Amino acid sequence: MSEHLGLRTVGDLLHHYPRRYAERGELTRLSELPLDEHVTVVARVHDARVHKFNRGQGQRLEVTLTDGSGRLQLVFFGRSVHYHQRQLLPGKRGMFAGKVGVFNRKLQLSHPDYKLLDEDSDQETVEQFAGALLPLYPACKQLSSWSIEQSVGMLLGALQATGWRGLTDPLPDALREQRGLIPLPEAFEKIHRPRSKADIAEARSRLKWDEAFVLQVALARRRAKETELPAVPRQPTPDGLLDAFDARLPFTLTDGQREVSREIFADLATEHPMHRLLQGEVGSGKTMVALRAMLATVDAGGQAAMLAPTEVLAQQHHRSITEMMGELANHHSSAKRFERRAVVGDGRELGGAEQGTKVVLLTGSMGAAARRKALLDLATGEAGIVVGTHALIEDKVTFHDLGLVVVDEQHRFGVEQRDALRSKGKQPPHLLVMTATPIPRTVAMTVFGDLETSVLDQLPAGRSPIATHVVPVRDKPHFLTRAWERVREETEAGHQTYVVCPRIGDDEETAPAKGAPAERAAYEEQLPGGETDGDEGADSEEKRPPLAVLDIADQLASGPLAGLRVAALHGRMQPEAKDEVMRRFAAGEVDVLVATTVIEVGVNVPNATGMVIMDADRFGVSQLHQLRGRVGRGSAPGLCLLVTDMPPESPARARLEAVAATLDGFELSRIDLEQRREGDVLGQAQSGVRSSLRMLAVIDDEEIIAEARDEATALVAADPELADHPELRTALDALLDEEREEYLDKG
């Protein structure tokens, strides 16, 4: 059990809730049985016979029932046939429940539930059996739902016999009564053995509150502890590096950027580590806000590190930061500058290039010499700012005085990685977590509940609207022809286009399948070069490999986009080759860039106005939104075309229509979460939280989570050590076993 379902203790079994409930159905006469519906019948066994099949290898039991109005066949297979044959003797009367099917033109129930009746069984017994709600548990091959139900029944019986001794109720009585929630033993009884749908609803409400409240207490205690940790306040110097940077900005910051910067600077000025989550739509200017926080830290004599999930993104951040800083990204160190300043005692002595700091890049693919130089610059304090990938986390990386850690695209990092970088400070550094994936408020409260949240929802001036359209090649094949014409029109207007494919298409991957189905020939004909057809996950009828960058790039260059400058970009290219392609695209030397999602985050080419996403149904909603954010970054409007061969009524098409209908990332992230469920979207970094949520759904239970957070915050403020709430402490200890305790502590 423990291997397959994680059921190791009595508590695990008690909290292994049914995923749904089957209803046996109304009592039905055999002459009136409806096909494909769940029914319960009361009838007598007429006969029962075992038949051999498959050359004697298999056996089945066929039982004929009669109730005077008609006949019905029951069928059982496998090892249990002889057991059922011994029970179901001719003349026996019983209740039989199952779904009505048909075989050899006879109505039958396959492996039905049944209960044999005494001759004097009353009508109430019969109706109780027929109307019962049958719990169906998450099960596995080794352990059926039926076995789990029996085990839970025995456990509930044993607990009732002891008066539920040893059960700890985490909710304070006053809170439970105020919220009108049922006692915990009653909730367990009603969730596992409900008599009505009202029982299930009452039990769910109570158990959801338990999960939300205990988790929010854990997070509230964590927030309270963080405020006690020491940190070095980092305040920007008047007329220092930050002011020099602001003075040379060619544009005005948005009100949102100013407000979020104020929140961050207030946090940096305190003697406790900042823990802030910065959410911002694609293109809302998060990098600018993060850079100003890093410059403020350097101003105050510290160093700032930015952790990016990929080399391409790290290089992009490094490039954009040095470009934004201009001559301020020079070779004068913050450490030496502050030593000098201490001597002269007057900030006005610092002028020109003296206000700069060195910005270094550290990635895994750097050459040994460049890497040694970067490591030395960090250790001596020569570099005030470092941008890097996981390479920053390695043991050999040491800092002169790490004051601020900025983590980009948080959902791609494990907690351990984030913590490894934070541990490199002499005292806990301030932490700013950034994400371009908008996170609904409840998810932020549940998963990032220890972080204060700032939201950038205003696009900087100069950003243009993006029109998004679905290109349904199955029902409207001419739309794809028009899509390639639109790409040509964008090129003729002096603009550039991305074409995104889900696959690279080199030798290391599966070769495309041969011979696409005839009914999808229209899609093939419209694809440059007749690409073979295929697999759309759950919505697919047939399988084909996803469309590939290398194939599509060749086919476009020799087909519908012949004469245009087409280049390919993917993650398996050498870093120098990737950089060269991106440089040429940014410089306007490439008209159409055919790429994988390597361009999803951080790539900034204001002249790129068009994006065609091939096999768009293979991408998640949030990912499509991220990709779309690569266009419309200049003064010309953006165009995003979502190419799919999914049929009009499919869930995949509905997803794409949702993306086309709105540019609101928060709305889309809600749709994404509802479709994919939280665990998938939030990633393994959040596994500690997810594994503790069995009943609570962070999207559907917004109200409970918000109320539980308020209650938890008030309780922890009044009783930080939970001295007056020993049962809540016990529940917390159970939630925060060693692994999860570590998870929350690391944050």
Side-chain angles (χ1 to χ4, degrees):
M1 284 205 292
S2 64
E3 274 177 48
H4 301 283
L5 295 171
L7 303 180
R8 297 178 182 83
T9 65
V10 164
D12 289 338
L13 187 58
L14 208 51
H15 289 93
H16 190 73
Y17 306 128
R19 58 187 160 82
R20 64 187 179 88
Y21 300 85
E23 295 179 72
R24 285 202 175 109
E26 294 295 309
L27 267 178
T28 313
R29 285 163 57 87
L30 295 188
S31 58
E32 300 164 359
L33 290 174
L35 196 60
D36 282 338
E37 284 189 25
H38 287 276
V39 298
T40 297
V41 298
V42 176
R44 282 191 194 278
V45 177
H46 182 264
D47 60 41
R49 293 176 186 165
V50 174
H51 299 271
K52 303 275 188 188
F53 63 93
N54 195 16
R55 295 180 183 170
Q57 298 293 309
Q59 49 189 357
R60 73 178 179 274
L61 171 66
E62 289 179 1
V63 179
T64 306
L65 302 181
T66 178
D67 68 350
S69 74
R71 291 192 166 213
L72 174 67
Q73 193 172 64
L74 312 181
V75 62
F76 299 87
F77 294 93
R79 295 178 188 167
S80 61
V81 295
H82 295 295
Y83 166 79
H84 294 301
Q85 187 183 27
R86 286 194 298 274
Q87 301 296 312
L88 301 172
L89 299 172
K92 285 276 190 183
R93 181 169 168 265
M95 299 176 286
F96 304 86
K99 189 176 181 181
V100 181
V102 66
F103 182 71
N104 279 346
R105 298 184 185 174
K106 289 183 187 172
L107 294 181
Q108 72 169 27
L109 303 183
S110 180
H111 279 271
D113 284 330
Y114 62 86
K115 183 173 183 179
L116 296 176
L117 297 169
D118 299 329
E119 288 306 318
D120 56 355
S121 290
D122 57 15
Q123 185 63 18
E124 190 182 336
T125 307
V126 172
E127 285 173 3
Q128 210 173 16
F129 176 85
L133 291 161
L134 305 172
L136 297 176
Y137 290 87
C140 61
K141 188 179 175 186
Q142 291 78 5
L143 192 65
S144 67
S145 173
W146 177 259
S147 308
I148 295 170
E149 184 191 353
Q150 287 181 311
S151 303
V152 170
M154 287 166 59
L155 174 60
L156 290 175
L159 287 168
Q160 283 170 339
T162 65
W164 294 86
R165 194 171 67 244
L167 181 72
T168 55
D169 188 337
L171 285 193
D173 289 342
L175 171 61
R176 183 177 62 73
E177 285 160 18
Q178 177 195 338
R179 298 276 167 189
L181 299 168
I182 60 176
L184 192 54
E186 191 181 331
F188 283 132
E189 185 67 41
K190 285 182 171 177
I191 201 74
H192 290 294
R193 296 200 285 213
R195 291 196 172 90
S196 66
K197 289 180 179 173
D199 279 0
I200 299 169
E202 277 191 317
R204 281 182 186 277
S205 293
R206 165 63 214 250
L207 296 167
K208 283 181 176 187
W209 252 97
D210 279 16
E211 287 181 5
F213 183 68
V214 173
L215 179 60
Q216 292 300 336
V217 167
L219 292 167
R221 293 187 78 204
R222 168 129 196 268
R223 286 195 300 276
K225 276 184 186 169
E226 294 288 3
T227 60
E228 295 166 12
L229 282 176
V232 179
R234 309 284 181 175
Q235 286 179 297
T237 316
D239 300 325
L241 182 54
L242 180 61
D243 286 349
F245 174 76
D246 285 348
R248 68 186 300 282
L249 278 180
F251 52 82
T252 309
L253 295 173
T254 65
D255 293 343
Q257 285 174 319
R258 289 184 183 284
E259 178 54 36
V260 170
S261 289
R262 271 196 292 274
E263 292 171 353
I264 290 170
F265 291 153
D267 285 357
L268 288 173
T270 65
E271 295 183 349
H272 306 290
M274 167 174 77
H275 284 87
R276 190 165 284 279
L277 173 67
L278 173 57
Q279 299 186 58
E281 282 284 13
V282 173
S284 59
K286 293 184 304 300
T287 308
M288 172 61 69
V289 169
L291 176 55
R292 293 184 76 237
M294 292 195 283
L295 294 174
T297 304
V298 174
D299 250 353
Q303 290 169 292
M306 179 183 266
L307 185 60
T310 65
E311 291 213 357
V312 168
L313 189 51
Q315 289 159 353
Q316 175 76 31
H317 277 318
H318 181 256
R319 193 180 302 119
S320 60
I321 285 171
T322 49
E323 282 169 7
M324 284 193 277
M325 287 178 65
E327 72 272 10
L328 296 175
N330 65 23
H331 290 227
H332 289 272
S333 80
S334 50
K336 289 177 182 170
R337 182 157 63 82
F338 274 84
E339 285 163 20
R340 275 198 299 279
R341 184 171 173 194
V343 175
V344 295
D346 185 349
R348 286 170 304 177
E349 294 286 320
L350 302 168
E354 284 295 314
Q355 289 175 307
T357 189
K358 194 168 185 180
V359 182
V360 299
L361 176 70
L362 189 64
T363 66
S365 67
M366 285 170 69
R371 187 179 174 76
R372 265 198 308 275
K373 181 78 178 81
L375 290 171
L376 184 64
D377 287 343
L378 289 178
T380 60
E382 184 74 23
I385 295 175
V386 59
V387 182
T389 55
H390 301 76
L392 276 178
I393 295 165
E394 292 174 11
D395 291 342
K396 59 185 77 162
V397 180
T398 57
F399 289 84
H400 179 73
D401 180 13
L402 181 59
L404 170 67
V405 172
V406 178
V407 180
D408 192 22
E409 290 307 319
Q410 153 66 24
H411 62 284
R412 299 186 182 206
F413 285 99
V415 173
E416 296 77 14
Q417 296 162 327
R418 196 168 104 187
D419 182 58
L421 184 52
R422 286 181 65 197
S423 68
K424 292 180 180 292
K426 295 187 175 79
Q427 281 192 316
H430 299 280
L431 175 69
L432 179 65
V433 168
M434 297 198 300
T435 180
T437 304
I439 302 168
R441 176 169 154 262
T442 44
V443 181
M445 283 194 296
T446 309
V447 177
F448 302 106
D450 57 311
L451 300 172
E452 298 300 325
T453 303
S454 296
V455 178
L456 274 177
D457 51 11
Q458 187 184 4
L459 291 185
R463 287 303 300 261
S464 301
I466 304 168
T468 308
H469 303 284
V470 177
V471 178
V473 291
R474 170 186 282 212
D475 36 313
K476 295 178 181 169
H478 58 287
F479 274 35
L480 191 60
T481 308
R482 178 69 189 123
W484 301 129
E485 287 170 5
R486 284 292 288 113
V487 172
R488 277 196 178 276
E489 287 164 16
E490 290 298 312
T491 307
E492 284 158 13
H495 300 306
Q496 294 158 279
T497 303
Y498 298 99
V499 176
V500 181
C501 302
R503 198 168 65 97
I504 297 171
D506 56 16
D507 293 338
E508 292 182 44
E509 297 180 310
T510 316
K514 296 283 181 277
E519 63 268 31
R520 293 196 179 176
Y523 191 30
E524 274 184 27
E525 286 165 15
Q526 290 301 310
L527 289 172
E531 173 68 26
T532 51
D533 215 51
D535 169 18
E536 260 66 36
D539 300 304
S540 67
E541 298 159 18
E542 305 91 10
K543 298 281 184 187
R544 73 159 161 79
L547 298 177
V549 167
L550 299 178
D551 299 337
I552 295 292
D554 289 346
Q555 293 158 8
L556 286 173
S558 59
L561 302 184
L564 301 189
R565 296 169 297 177
V566 178
L569 178 74
H570 58 78
R572 218 172 270 145
M573 291 165 68
Q574 289 301 314
E576 303 77 36
K578 273 190 290 199
D579 265 3
E580 175 59 16
V581 172
M582 268 320 299
R583 187 200 62 71
R584 286 173 50 223
F585 188 65
E589 296 165 17
V590 170
D591 300 318
V592 178
L593 183 65
V594 185
T596 56
T597 53
V598 72
I599 60 138
E600 180 184 348
V601 281
V603 175
N604 184 24
V605 180
N607 192 48
T609 54
M611 175 168 286
V612 182
I613 303 179
M614 309 301 293
D615 277 346
D617 45 89
R618 295 179 185 259
F619 299 97
V621 170
S622 294
Q623 196 172 28
L624 290 170
H625 183 58
Q626 290 269 12
L627 286 165
R628 173 171 61 183
R630 297 301 109 210
V631 297
R633 299 177 79 86
S635 54
L639 172 70
C640 179
L641 302 176
L642 307 173
V643 180
T644 178
D645 66 347
M646 286 289 96
E649 303 306 316
S650 64
R653 267 287 277 282
R655 268 201 321 271
L656 299 183
E657 300 291 353
V659 174
T662 181
L663 289 169
D664 182 342
F666 284 91
E667 178 57 29
L668 289 174
S669 71
R670 178 177 280 273
I671 292 166
D672 202 8
L673 275 167
E674 283 169 353
Q675 290 186 337
R676 292 164 57 192
R677 305 315 301 163
E678 304 90 37
D680 189 21
V681 175
L682 301 175
Q684 292 183 344
Q686 314 311 336
S687 60
V689 166
R690 272 305 299 160
S691 53
S692 68
L693 303 185
R694 296 164 194 262
M695 186 65 76
L696 200 68
V698 294
I699 283 292
D700 303 336
D701 300 318
E702 186 165 349
E703 203 174 302
I704 292 175
I705 292 167
E707 290 174 6
R709 180 181 167 103
D710 292 342
E711 295 279 7
T713 305
L715 185 141
V716 169
D719 182 11
E721 295 306 312
L722 306 182
D724 299 333
H725 300 90
E727 294 199 316
L728 177 55
R729 273 205 76 108
T730 305
L732 268 184
D733 292 340
L735 169 73
L736 305 177
D737 56 29
E738 210 170 308
E739 181 186 346
R740 290 185 203 138
E741 181 75 78
E742 200 175 302
Y743 161 79
L744 280 174
D745 279 348
K746 286 180 175 180

